[in-house]
Amino acid sequence: YIGWRSLFDHSFRSSLVQRKRSYREVRPRTKSTRLWLHAASVGELEGVYPVVRAFQRSLKDVEFLITTTSATGVVAAKKRLPD
């Protein structure tokens, strides 16, 4: 199924490539604490932003790793949270 779908669906193929290399591209930790937030959809991603902002105001020594399951989610996250 994966091979068949990746032949005809460019966005599916791109997401497979992205998932394969994602873990190698996670930056080394620069602060003492890393908070990993995962949003399965763009709608869930919208709910992540206020959480990130609240933590940024209250905890200065925290960095965030935000993941999503869709290419659209990646684009949206990069627009709203470029760092």
Side-chain angles (χ1 to χ4, degrees), residues 1-2 5 19 21 34 38 42-43 46 50 61 63 71 81:
Y1 170 78
I2 292 172
R5 184 167 175 195
R19 289 176 193 167
R21 70 172 190 249
R34 177 179 280 169
H38 178 76
V42 175
E46 289 297 318
D61 199 30
E63 67 181 10
L81 301 166

Side-chain angles (χ1 to χ4, degrees), residues 10-77:
H10 174 71
S11 63
F12 183 77
R13 186 171 53 247
S14 295
S15 72
L16 288 176
V17 171
Q18 177 185 356
R19 289 176 193 167
K20 182 177 179 182
R21 70 172 190 249
S22 293
Y23 293 107
R24 290 182 296 189
E25 294 180 1
V26 173
R27 296 180 201 158
R29 189 181 299 182
T30 59
K31 297 185 178 183
S32 65
T33 303
R34 177 179 280 169
L35 182 61
W36 182 4
L37 302 168
H38 178 76
S41 66
V42 175
E44 287 183 9
L45 193 57
E46 289 297 318
V48 165
Y49 302 131
V51 173
V52 169
R53 299 295 182 230
F55 274 113
Q56 284 176 328
R57 284 191 301 271
S58 61
L59 302 171
K60 300 301 178 194
D61 199 30
V62 174
E63 67 181 10
F64 299 91
L65 174 63
I66 299 173
T67 58
T68 184
T69 56
S70 69
T72 308
V74 171
V75 171

